[in-house]
Amino acid sequence: MADNAAIVAGVEVSTDHWICGRRVSASERFADISPVDGSHLCSVAAGNKAVVDEAVDAARKAFPAWAALGPEGRLPVLKRFAEGIKARAKDLAAVETMDNGSLLAGNLHRVVPRAAQNIEFFADWAMTLKDHVIESPDVINHVRYDPAGIAALITPWNAPLMLTTWKVGPALAAGNTIVVKPPEWAPLTCSLMADIAHAAGLPAGVLNVVQGIGETAGDALVNHGDIDRISFTGSTGTARLIGQAAARSITPMSAELGGKSPFIVCADADLDAAAQTVAAQYMNAGQVCLAGTRVLVEASIEEVFLAKVRDAAAHMVVGDPRDGATRVGPLITQEHFERVAGFVDRAKADGAEALWGGSPANFGALYFQPTLFRHVDPAWEIAQQEVFGPVLTWQTFSSDDEAIALANGTQYGLAGVLFSRDEARAMRIASRVVAGTLWVNCFFIRDLAAPFGGSRNSGIGREGGSWSFDFYADIKNISVRRGSFGQTGG
Ligand code: NAD
């Protein structure tokens, strides 16, 4: 097969850019290696400034017509786009698994349906933003959610399809045209997404995909200068660089970044449910931004709860992510594997005790054992920095104030988990934990109408429901003096 397409998990995928409704090839390419088995999946077009310029130009030209359609004109094509994602669920799930090592069953049953929902939910929501009127004594305020222009969408490898559609849905529904820069470690489902959008009838230039390396293609995109919104999901370090570019061009930026989320377990909690949920933090080898990786346990139940977590963690089978019994698949690359192993080695050197795990798994090259560290000082690196691997820390608290202080004791504020049967206590603690999302007696349940984002170094802004449109739309108030149009002036 030629360089510009590949068969991955039996699915044909283009490895070229998608610009102005056609594939654009490149002589410069980068290797896409599967973390599942180390196989070379394909070589992917490596975008540069010239390709970014072409994509932004296509998006700029397509913008007036797409914007002019209004939410009702965009609705049918976005609904067909969502249906197209559902129709190719098996292909998308299989390709995502080979590309980033995430669990096949999870991709099929949760990620792909959610990707389709990301498109249709925001298309529907955009319809509710018309005719937003605020009546005041002297004027009538007609609030408009106008399209902003071109949105640059940059996403990471741990959930490319889900995270990219989470941006594509509201950006398109708001009437923007877009340039997507997929993650270089897992770029393929974004390519399939472009085919699906095209088959759904999305006009040429409305959705463009520039493949490439972050430091070149991503950098050229955020520094282009004629971009109206930058939506970024990825690491805090990269956000600092992108933020500088956004500051130079005064471009609004939304950032969903890393985390080191607390998982607080009170003595009055349903300990069985809490233990199962702690073990679930190992899913996808802990490469989940929202994972509650710092387990904070009320001291009075430490030993009984530890036994339950040990039992639950024993079921976190390490293996091939295509196997239904697997709970913990591979880390994404050798580079990332070494990063995770480095964190583990330094935690041991600091004096943390690995109650289980702490070494590579006896499976394939990139697989690491689920690990739990006890006797962790809150100041140590392992309690402060995001590992992004199957590594949890364990600390105890003796009062709610202590739990809250530990929970808030990092630079991050993405999410948190709290288990307690005492509603008043749970709400008291939850309200004082610094986090964009705090799950009580549950984990990972998302309503797309609810706000999502991170505090502190975990992000800038909120997306979801109306918050997405506060970002992706250009909000204008047409404030009309009452009676100034005679009979028709209100
Ligand atoms: P990363 O920051 O290295 O890369 C993310 C994206 O940015 C990639 O597409 C990359 O190519 C691009 N990029 C890199 N350098 C760039 C530059 N200079 N200019 C423009 N673009 C550039 O992050 P990653 O390693 O791919 O992802 C893991 C991180 O993402 C973790 O910190 C994780 O917590 C975070 N994450 C956050 C969320 C969330 O919703 N808050 C979700 C998933 C992952």
Side-chain angles (χ1 to χ4, degrees), residues 276 279 308-318 325-328 370:
Q276 294 295 332
K308 288 179 186 291
V309 174
R310 189 189 292 277
D311 286 350
H315 291 99
M316 301 308 288
V317 177
V318 178
T326 296
R327 294 289 172 273
V328 181

Side-chain angles (χ1 to χ4, degrees), residues 113-357:
R114 166 68 195 280
Q117 197 197 356
N118 282 339
I119 305 297
E120 61 193 359
F121 175 89
F122 290 106
D124 284 332
W125 192 286
M127 296 291 288
T128 70
L129 297 174
K130 297 183 303 178
D131 310 323
H132 184 125
V133 167
I134 300 169
E135 304 262 1
S136 50
D138 298 325
V139 294
I140 300 176
N141 301 285
H142 299 268
V143 181
R144 293 176 54 90
Y145 287 78
D146 288 338
I150 298 175
L153 312 179
I154 302 180
T155 48
W157 47 265
N158 66 318
L161 181 67
M162 203 277 282
L163 294 170
T164 305
T165 50
W166 165 246
K167 299 177 188 304
V168 168
L172 292 182
N176 304 301
T177 53
I178 60 178
V179 179
V180 174
K181 210 301 281 170
E184 57 268 48
W185 284 352
L188 298 182
T189 49
C190 288
S191 183
L192 289 175
M193 175 190 75
D195 293 338
I196 294 168
H198 178 62
L202 206 68
V206 170
L207 181 157
N208 306 279
V209 176
V210 173
Q211 299 286 8
I213 307 297
E215 289 76 4
T216 46
D219 181 75
L221 181 58
V222 298
N223 283 294
H224 180 279
D226 189 24
I227 298 287
D228 302 284
R229 294 289 184 275
I230 298 172
S231 180
F232 171 71
T233 300
S235 64
T236 302
T238 304
R240 289 201 172 91
L241 294 174
I242 295 178
Q244 289 171 23
R248 274 193 292 277
S249 53
I250 318 286
T251 304
M253 170 182 175
S254 145
E256 298 181 350
L257 309 177
K260 188 76 181 172
S261 299
F263 191 126
I264 303 170
V265 184
C266 298
D268 55 50
D270 175 340
L271 297 187
D272 292 317
Q276 294 295 332
T277 312
V278 168
Q281 309 306 305
Y282 291 126
M283 298 280 269
N284 281 337
Q287 298 165 119
V288 177
C289 58
L290 297 164
T293 51
R294 291 183 297 135
V295 186
L296 310 178
V297 185
E298 193 153 12
S300 59
I301 52 150
E302 179 176 20
E303 292 309 325
V304 64
F305 186 57
L306 185 57
K308 288 179 186 291
V309 174
R310 189 189 292 277
D311 286 350
H315 291 99
M316 301 308 288
V317 177
V318 178
D320 188 315
R322 294 167 292 187
D323 183 337
T326 296
R327 294 289 172 273
V328 181
L331 295 168
I332 181 80
T333 58
Q334 185 63 31
E335 180 185 330
H336 187 58
F337 181 90
E338 282 162 18
R339 187 175 171 275
V340 170
F343 273 114
V344 168
D345 289 345
R346 290 190 296 278
K348 288 177 184 167
D350 278 337
E353 178 194 3
L355 282 184
W356 54 80

